[in-house]
Amino acid sequence: MFRTLFLMLLLLAGLIAGPYISGSQGYVRIETATTVIEMSIVMLVVFFVVAMAVVYLLEWIFTKICRMSSGAYNWFSARKHKKAQQETLEGLMRMSEGNYSKAEKLFSKNAKHADEPVLNLIKAAEAAQQNGDDLAANKYLIKATEIAGPNNVAVELARTKILLQQGKLPAARTAIDSLLELAPHNDEVLRLAIQIYRESKAYIALDRLLSEVGQRNFLTPIEYAELEQFVDDGLQDERLQEEGQEGLLIWWENQPNRRRKSVYSRVGVIKRLIDSDDHQSAEEIALETLKKFEDEQLHGLFVQLTRLQVASDSKLVKVLTKRADKANVKYTDDYARALGYVYTRNSEYAKAKTQFELLLAHDECQPDDRIMALHVAEQTNDHILANRIREENLKQVNMDVLPKPDEVLALPENVDNVKPL
């Protein structure tokens, strides 16, 4: 608009000023090697205006063409972007339906035009892996890495999951180690690390992870406790197999307070020491545990005390007897069972009989307890008690053999019409 106005004003000025200078206007001479051009000043102005108009016209045509090209490009680009969005949504639907082959094609077809090309390539890799095509899955991950860079958490997380699905556990272990350095506080990375470390039985690495996992809320208290117990069992088994009970004891002495305050860990050490026939060391840890914890925390310890070989006059037995006298009724059977087994192993059948009579009077008596009680009754020539235990054993066997009410087959309605085979 401004250029058109400028040309019109310039032309108008030439036309107005022309008559006033017509008497003394002079002329303009342009001479080349072979040509001579002469014109008046007015004609020069007109020529200049026409030349400027031609230049402006060419510029306008060129701009129009460029705008048309840009508009066409934007239209095609918007169309591809919209199509990529539709295919991404459809791919998610196909993947949820289990049609992984179709989902892979939809995710990868226009991935570069999607809102997040990296995510499309990751989903395409996951779909290819679910379809059993490891080569295609790796190809998509390589493309995603080229776009996102080598240290993208989302891409590396997808790569690690796919390695795990492919059964390449050592490679997945290496990948998750790198991921933990890249994103040590990422919940999804921690969750995947737990899975990989558990499957690879990397107990030491998993133990280091426990302190970080304990501050997260993606595990319930029950799940976290189960994870701690899994690590405790694994570490103790490894130490026992590699260095024997001496190595297990050294390992236990060097453990942090978090583990030494765990009854489960203590009971695990006691169990493995008994299995290794080191009853003396097991007795020392059992005595320490009995002194430090309350009855409601000691169920696992009482189970191991029935396997422990100790002298009847040992400090452990004295503490058991003292605590049994003060124990709540709910826990008297636990103490009676432990003392009964200890006295029986030391051939002190009279003392053992007293404990088993207390135990037999309650429903907490177990089949192994009745077998041991029967042995004690026979050793003390108490035939009445022995016969009563046999009757209880027989009754228990019959109860186990007879079908439960919901397992009894219903009789036919027309019993009279049933013919014998």
Side-chain angles (χ1 to χ4, degrees), residues 228-290:
E228 278 190 314
Q229 293 174 5
F230 175 81
V231 174
D232 285 347
D233 289 336
L235 290 174
Q236 291 179 23
D237 286 338
E238 276 188 348
R239 192 61 57 182
L240 184 63
Q241 291 170 6
E242 293 174 3
E243 302 179 16
Q245 72 270 20
E246 291 296 331
L248 178 62
L249 286 171
I250 295 174
W251 172 85
W252 175 249
E253 292 299 325
N254 295 325
Q255 289 308 293
N257 289 332
R258 172 181 62 83
R259 180 162 283 121
R260 292 183 64 84
K261 291 180 180 179
S262 169
V263 177
Y264 184 89
S265 296
R266 288 175 167 273
V267 171
V269 174
I270 293 169
K271 175 182 179 299
R272 288 165 177 80
L273 289 173
I274 294 175
D275 293 340
S276 303
D277 204 28
D278 188 356
H279 292 268
Q280 181 179 354
S281 299
E283 178 186 353
E284 293 174 0
I285 299 176
L287 178 60
E288 182 183 0
T289 305
L290 193 63

Side-chain angles (χ1 to χ4, degrees), residues 30-207:
I30 302 173
E31 183 177 352
T32 64
T34 58
T35 306
V36 176
I37 301 173
E38 295 181 353
M39 67 180 73
S40 66
I41 294 177
V42 174
M43 288 303 297
L44 178 63
V45 172
V46 173
F47 176 77
F48 178 74
V49 171
V50 172
M52 290 291 293
V54 172
V55 171
Y56 289 158
L57 179 62
L58 292 176
E59 182 186 5
W60 177 82
I61 293 172
F62 180 76
T63 304
K64 199 70 175 176
I65 293 173
C66 290
R67 287 178 179 174
M68 289 177 62
S69 300
S70 177
Y73 174 80
N74 291 335
W75 184 84
F76 282 110
S77 178
R79 183 175 178 275
K80 290 180 179 179
H81 179 260
K82 184 177 180 180
K83 187 176 180 181
Q85 286 182 314
Q86 293 175 345
E87 289 178 343
T88 300
L89 293 175
E90 187 178 354
L92 291 172
M93 293 178 61
R94 293 291 179 267
M95 197 163 184
S96 64
E97 294 171 359
N99 190 349
Y100 301 113
S101 178
K102 182 66 175 178
E104 177 191 347
K105 293 178 181 178
L106 290 168
F107 284 129
S108 60
K109 187 176 181 182
N110 285 308
K112 63 181 180 180
H113 300 292
D115 289 332
E116 295 292 342
V118 174
L119 296 182
N120 271 58
L121 291 170
I122 288 174
K123 298 304 291 185
E126 292 176 356
Q129 177 57 38
Q130 291 292 337
N131 204 34
D133 192 346
D134 295 353
L135 186 61
N138 293 332
K139 181 186 69 174
Y140 292 130
L141 288 175
I142 291 173
K143 288 183 179 179
T145 303
E146 291 174 353
I147 297 174
N151 292 326
N152 185 275
V153 176
V155 176
E156 295 305 316
L157 195 58
R159 187 194 309 280
T160 306
K161 289 180 179 178
I162 288 175
L163 287 172
L164 186 60
Q165 292 171 358
Q166 292 173 349
K168 300 175 181 178
L169 199 55
R173 169 71 191 278
T174 302
I176 198 62
D177 289 342
S178 300
L179 255 177
L180 283 172
E181 294 181 3
L182 184 63
H185 306 300
N186 185 290
D187 286 354
E188 192 62 29
V189 173
L190 291 172
R191 187 182 287 109
L192 185 60
I194 291 173
Q195 181 183 356
I196 292 175
Y197 288 156
R198 291 191 69 159
E199 291 189 17
S200 59
K201 296 182 179 179
Y203 301 112
I204 296 177
L206 196 53
D207 188 36

Side-chain angles (χ1 to χ4, degrees), residues 135-402:
L135 186 61
N138 293 332
K139 181 186 69 174
Y140 292 130
L141 288 175
I142 291 173
K143 288 183 179 179
T145 303
E146 291 174 353
I147 297 174
N151 292 326
N152 185 275
V153 176
V155 176
E156 295 305 316
L157 195 58
R159 187 194 309 280
T160 306
K161 289 180 179 178
I162 288 175
L163 287 172
L164 186 60
Q165 292 171 358
Q166 292 173 349
K168 300 175 181 178
L169 199 55
R173 169 71 191 278
T174 302
I176 198 62
D177 289 342
S178 300
L179 255 177
L180 283 172
E181 294 181 3
L182 184 63
H185 306 300
N186 185 290
D187 286 354
E188 192 62 29
V189 173
L190 291 172
R191 187 182 287 109
L192 185 60
I194 291 173
Q195 181 183 356
I196 292 175
Y197 288 156
R198 291 191 69 159
E199 291 189 17
S200 59
K201 296 182 179 179
Y203 301 112
I204 296 177
L206 196 53
D207 188 36
R208 289 196 299 264
L209 202 63
L210 278 176
S211 57
E212 179 65 30
V213 172
Q215 302 173 8
R216 303 286 165 172
N217 57 4
F218 64 83
L219 289 180
T220 65
I222 295 177
E223 290 173 335
Y224 183 77
E226 190 272 335
L227 181 62
E228 278 190 314
Q229 293 174 5
F230 175 81
V231 174
D232 285 347
D233 289 336
L235 290 174
Q236 291 179 23
D237 286 338
E238 276 188 348
R239 192 61 57 182
L240 184 63
Q241 291 170 6
E242 293 174 3
E243 302 179 16
Q245 72 270 20
E246 291 296 331
L248 178 62
L249 286 171
I250 295 174
W251 172 85
W252 175 249
E253 292 299 325
N254 295 325
Q255 289 308 293
N257 289 332
R258 172 181 62 83
R259 180 162 283 121
R260 292 183 64 84
K261 291 180 180 179
S262 169
V263 177
Y264 184 89
S265 296
R266 288 175 167 273
V267 171
V269 174
I270 293 169
K271 175 182 179 299
R272 288 165 177 80
L273 289 173
I274 294 175
D275 293 340
S276 303
D277 204 28
D278 188 356
H279 292 268
Q280 181 179 354
S281 299
E283 178 186 353
E284 293 174 0
I285 299 176
L287 178 60
E288 182 183 0
T289 305
L290 193 63
K291 290 179 177 180
K292 288 186 175 182
F293 298 92
E294 301 298 327
D295 294 342
E296 59 268 18
Q297 301 172 279
L298 298 176
H299 174 73
L301 177 64
F302 286 124
V303 173
Q304 298 306 318
L305 289 178
T306 61
R307 305 173 57 223
L308 189 61
Q309 297 178 12
V310 294
S312 300
D313 59 349
S314 66
K315 193 171 183 179
L316 176 63
V317 174
K318 293 178 181 178
V319 173
L320 282 172
T321 304
K322 184 177 180 180
R323 288 189 60 159
D325 295 335
K326 300 178 180 180
N328 189 291
V329 177
K330 184 178 180 180
Y331 304 104
T332 53
D333 288 342
D334 294 322
Y335 284 102
R337 180 181 293 108
L339 289 170
Y341 276 76
V342 169
Y343 289 138
T344 302
R345 286 196 173 90
N346 289 290
S347 301
E348 298 185 18
Y349 299 112
K351 292 182 179 179
K353 178 183 173 183
T354 303
Q355 302 298 329
F356 280 113
E357 285 179 336
L358 178 62
L359 189 59
L360 289 168
H362 298 88
D363 295 333
E364 296 294 328
C365 189
Q366 301 172 2
D368 290 343
D369 300 335
R370 286 193 292 270
I371 293 174
M372 188 67 78
L374 178 60
H375 173 70
V376 170
E378 291 174 345
Q379 293 296 322
T380 56
N381 296 318
D382 191 338
H383 301 294
I384 297 176
L385 178 60
N387 290 332
R388 182 161 66 87
I389 295 173
R390 291 192 184 97
E391 291 176 0
E392 287 293 330
N393 287 340
L394 183 60
K395 186 187 299 182
Q396 186 65 38
V397 170
N398 291 334
M399 290 179 63
D400 294 338
V401 172
L402 290 174

